[in-house]
Amino acid sequence: MNITARIESDRRLINLHLNRILKFGVVVPKRLAAAMRYGVLSPGKRIRPILALETYLACGGKRRDWILPFCCGLELIHCFSLIHDDLPALDNDNYRRGQPTVHRKFDEATAIIAGDALLAKAFEVFALSRAPDERKIRAIHAISSAIGPSGMAGGQILDIDQFSGMDYFRIAKLKTAEFFAVALTTGAIIAGVSAKQEKRLFKLGIDLGTLFQLTDDLLDYATDRGSDSSVRRNTKLTLNQLQLEAQKLAKSTEMRFRQLGPEFDFFAQLTELILKRQQ
Ligand code: GRG
């Protein structure tokens, strides 16, 4: 399997569906619709929806109309978190995905509301999946728990609190890795796997997400994007130590994906790509 071609084709499919989901009629105020589309349809990597889609396929899922609404909803939530993360009250960033952030292109109030609307839209889209109701409810429960106060939102508040004294890896788990993990388990739940397999995939997703955050911070170091990044605030580990941690984590994660069998080959290869990524 050529993983780069596979990622590209997954991304195209997801972009097509995101574009459809974000086509609004006259009922949605023009400015809000434009800000939502701007914040989502910019060139993102779409890694979370790709994780959900590929896990679904690896777990034997066959109906794309069951999983694609979940893939798109996960990306809407991710984009909401980026729009809010960029706001002046949080990271105060001017650029995202190579273009002005939503609050710079529009204004702060519009960015706040566009983020809120994307979060709400995600749950509307989840509900529209044609998967069996019991699986949908399990997936929605897992997703809301991963982004809520004991997940992404909790991680974010610890991240902005310089005095929380919280360990870097704990913050990375809450802020980033839980959402990665739930992207995998969403695919697994919608495909109908056992609770045991779901748990196993969640743990692997946590390690993959932690690796992703580590490499994100290492890229910050390399490009000096992150003079105030969480890695500098929340860890005393040196750049070299963080690189070693990333290598160790990638090695064990890749090996555990390989142990799941050839269906999970995509994930073993993806782990290596994440370790070596340049963007
Ligand atoms: C979810 C209720 C709730 C609140 C959100 C603002 C906030 C609270 C959380 C922010 C979390 C955040 C931005 C974490 C960083 C995760 C991360 C590594 C983002 C970059 O992801 P990429 O590289 O970005 O996948 P692209 O642009 O490719 O999509």
Side-chain angles (χ1 to χ4, degrees):
M1 179 204 351
N2 176 341
I3 186 165
T4 326
R6 177 83 171 239
I7 289 175
E8 206 33 63
S9 114
D10 286 352
R11 193 176 286 143
R12 260 201 307 275
L13 180 70
I14 288 152
N15 283 339
L16 190 81
H17 282 262
L18 283 171
N19 197 11
R20 275 190 205 149
I21 283 169
L22 295 173
K23 276 207 164 78
F24 299 109
V26 285
V27 283
V28 176
K30 271 205 176 100
R31 187 177 184 77
L32 179 60
M36 290 167 78
R37 288 178 62 82
Y38 180 85
V40 176
L41 300 177
S42 46
K45 292 186 282 299
R46 315 293 185 219
I47 178 118
R48 295 149 190 86
I50 291 174
L51 291 174
L53 175 62
E54 288 293 340
T55 311
Y56 179 71
L57 298 174
C59 293
K62 301 271 184 275
R63 300 272 307 264
R64 288 184 189 222
D65 57 331
W66 289 13
I67 192 63
L68 280 170
F70 278 92
C71 298
C72 292
L74 288 167
E75 183 67 15
L76 298 186
I77 295 175
H78 168 60
C79 295
F80 140 73
S81 77
L82 297 181
I83 293 170
H84 279 202
D85 192 48
D86 290 336
L87 287 168
L90 284 98
D91 274 4
N92 195 16
D93 273 319
N94 292 327
Y95 289 93
R96 163 76 62 188
R97 296 175 170 174
Q99 56 187 47
T101 45
V102 177
H103 68 274
R104 290 277 168 226
K105 175 83 181 171
F106 296 82
D107 55 54
E108 230 179 295
T110 307
I112 292 170
I113 297 169
D116 293 341
L118 286 173
L119 180 61
K121 184 78 190 169
F123 285 86
E124 180 192 330
V125 174
F126 294 151
L128 292 177
S129 156
R130 301 174 81 95
D133 287 348
E134 186 266 341
R135 293 186 195 178
K136 285 201 298 194
I137 290 169
R138 265 175 63 204
I140 290 171
H141 178 244
I143 294 166
S144 29
S145 145
I147 64 173
S150 56
M152 192 196 285
Q156 184 63 11
I157 201 99
L158 292 171
D159 194 30
I160 61 176
D161 178 1
Q162 321 193 19
F163 304 107
S164 75
M166 192 60 80
D167 169 64
Y168 168 82
F169 288 97
R170 173 97 187 114
I171 295 177
K173 176 175 181 289
L174 296 178
K175 191 179 78 163
T176 306
E178 292 235 355
F179 196 44
F180 259 66
V182 91
L184 271 87
T185 50
T186 294
I189 291 168
I190 299 299
V193 300
S194 66
K196 190 172 160 206
Q197 179 76 332
E198 182 191 327
K199 217 167 152 186
R200 206 167 168 193
L201 287 169
F202 189 81
K203 283 191 187 151
L204 273 165
I206 292 284
D207 287 351
L208 195 65
T210 305
L211 176 66
F212 190 84
Q213 184 61 59
L214 258 170
T215 53
D216 200 67
D217 288 324
L218 285 168
L219 283 170
D220 271 359
Y221 257 116
T223 58
D224 208 31
R225 269 189 293 159
S227 51
D228 187 36
S229 72
S230 69
V231 72
R232 295 192 183 193
R233 284 200 302 272
N234 296 317
T235 184
K236 293 187 177 57
L237 295 177
T238 62
L239 177 61
N240 209 9
Q241 285 168 321
L242 283 169
Q243 277 163 341
L244 285 174
E245 286 294 331
Q247 280 160 8
K248 238 169 45 192
L249 193 56
K251 199 169 167 200
S252 79
T253 309
E254 186 183 337
M255 191 188 73
R256 281 152 56 229
F257 273 125
R258 292 214 185 277
Q259 284 167 354
L260 292 179
E263 296 83 5
F264 284 86
D265 196 42
F266 174 90
F267 291 89
Q269 289 190 46
L270 181 70
T271 307
E272 208 187 325
L273 269 191
I274 290 180
L275 177 69
K276 296 187 176 149
R277 76 194 178 104
Q278 295 302 320
Q279 54 156 340

